[in-house]
């Protein structure tokens, strides 16, 4: 990206050495620590020990900054798609699914951006939201013998699977990094357990984190369903 014009008197010498990459990386770190709501150009400038106007040489504002964070999160996925991951399409989809899950688990507070930001084109779906990612995805399936219709149908099914599973898992992992909630109010309500006896009785089981196991089971079910659908079409 070309640097934007800047008034040298406002930027100050402390802005030297900044790059778009370093600014976006700092924004991701801030999101991981405090959440998306905490990120502003002012707060980011403070964390980098620069004047806020220095950042505008590299990012056009908060929206551009968040787009940069999404692009950074997706960069590892693009690299994975560039590799010859697997000979068969099942292995290819598994590799992408696990890479996307890794993003959601390692960056649970940032992952919702991947799902909520507008995609690069209106006919694309999150979380595989960029033209480059979707093109690489479709190309890989076509090279593995899929027809155009099969590749598009697989993209739609796979996107829906990822979005549902990983938004849920990101929420679970976000809760794990938050301090435990104050349950005093719950306990002070004498009729709370009476109104929802099964919830309280099964609270320990409900609080178990089975997200990884559930992800793998759902992924296998999706692959089996896709395989059966492809077999019927031959």
């Amino acid at each position: 990206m070309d640097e934007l014009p800047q008034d040298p008197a406002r930027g100050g010498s402390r802005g030297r050495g900044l790059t778009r990459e370093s600014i976006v990386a700092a924004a991701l770190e801030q999101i991981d620590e405090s959440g998306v709501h905490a990120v502003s150009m002012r707060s980011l400038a403070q964390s980098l020990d620069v004047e806020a106007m220095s950042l505008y040489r590299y990012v056009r504002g908060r929206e551009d900054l968040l787009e940069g964070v999404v692009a950074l999160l997706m960069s590892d996925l693009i690299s994975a798609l560039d590799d010859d991951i697997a000979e068969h399409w099942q292995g290819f989809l598994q590799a992408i699914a696990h890479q996307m899950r890794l993003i959601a688990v390692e960056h649970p507070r940032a992952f919702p951006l991947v799902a909520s930001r507008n995609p690069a084109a209106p006919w694309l779906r999150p979380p595989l939201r960029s033209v480059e990612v979707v093109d690489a995805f479709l190309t890989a399936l076509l090279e593995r013998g899929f027809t155009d219709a099969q590749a598009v149908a697989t993209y739609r099914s796979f996107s829906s699977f990822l979005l549902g599973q990983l938004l849920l898992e990101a929420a679970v992992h976000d809760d794990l990094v938050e301090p435990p909630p104050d349950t005093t109010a719950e306990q002070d309500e004498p009729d709370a357990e009476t109104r929802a006896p099964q919830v309280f009785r099964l609270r320990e089981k409900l609080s178990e984190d089975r997200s990884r196991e559930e992800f793998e089971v759902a992924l296998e079910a999706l692959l089996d369903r896709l395989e059966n659908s492809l077999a019927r079409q031959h």
Side-chain angles (χ1 to χ4, degrees):
M1 170 181 175
D2 294 335
E3 292 186 4
L4 304 179
Q6 178 203 28
D7 180 353
R10 301 186 71 178
S13 60
R14 288 186 300 170
R16 293 176 182 172
L18 285 176
T19 64
R20 180 177 174 86
E21 290 74 20
S22 66
I23 293 169
V24 170
L28 177 57
E29 184 176 345
Q30 195 171 79
I31 292 171
D32 285 341
E33 182 177 342
S34 304
V36 175
H37 68 280
V39 177
S40 67
M41 299 298 281
R42 183 178 299 276
S43 67
L44 188 59
Q46 290 175 346
S47 71
L48 292 168
D49 193 28
V50 298
E51 298 293 335
M53 287 303 298
S54 300
L55 304 182
Y56 286 93
R57 295 182 63 191
Y58 308 94
V59 293
R60 299 181 184 277
R62 188 174 186 271
E63 292 301 302
D64 185 31
L65 182 66
L66 295 181
E67 284 298 318
V69 169
V70 171
L72 177 58
L73 288 172
M74 298 298 286
S75 62
D76 287 342
L77 179 63
I78 295 172
S79 298
L81 286 171
D82 287 340
D83 297 333
D84 186 13
I85 298 174
E87 180 181 353
H88 299 291
W89 63 267
Q90 292 96 332
F92 175 73
L93 293 185
Q94 284 179 326
I96 299 174
H98 290 144
Q99 184 63 45
M100 286 298 300
R101 181 181 178 273
L102 188 62
I103 295 172
V105 170
E106 292 187 345
H107 304 282
R109 292 175 173 171
F111 183 79
L113 286 174
V114 178
S116 62
R117 306 295 293 174
N118 290 330
W123 59 85
L124 300 183
R125 298 181 174 193
L128 304 179
R129 56 185 300 283
S130 77
V131 171
E132 294 80 10
V133 168
V134 176
D135 189 74
F137 180 90
L138 295 174
T139 298
L141 293 184
L142 293 172
E143 289 175 348
R144 288 164 171 79
F146 281 56
T147 66
D148 290 352
Q150 290 170 342
V152 170
T154 298
Y155 163 70
R156 289 174 175 165
S157 296
F158 192 63
S159 296
S160 297
F161 158 75
L162 288 178
L163 193 61
Q165 287 288 326
L166 296 182
L167 277 177
L168 178 60
E169 187 156 7
V172 169
H173 283 270
D174 189 7
D175 288 342
L176 293 177
V177 297
E178 288 282 358
D182 182 8
T183 58
T184 305
E186 267 184 11
Q187 295 170 354
D188 288 345
E189 293 185 42
D191 62 337
E193 191 165 350
T194 302
R195 286 186 289 107
Q198 303 308 326
V199 170
F200 281 84
R201 184 177 68 84
L202 297 172
R203 178 163 49 183
E204 183 176 343
K205 291 185 179 297
L206 289 170
S207 64
E208 294 175 355
D209 179 14
R210 298 283 184 86
S211 53
R212 180 169 186 172
E213 176 185 344
E214 291 165 357
F215 179 85
E216 295 297 342
V217 170
L219 177 58
E220 288 298 325
L222 173 65
L223 295 177
D224 288 344
R225 189 166 69 250
L226 288 172
E227 187 170 21
N228 291 334
S229 176
L230 292 170
R232 288 196 301 270
Q233 295 174 34
H234 285 300

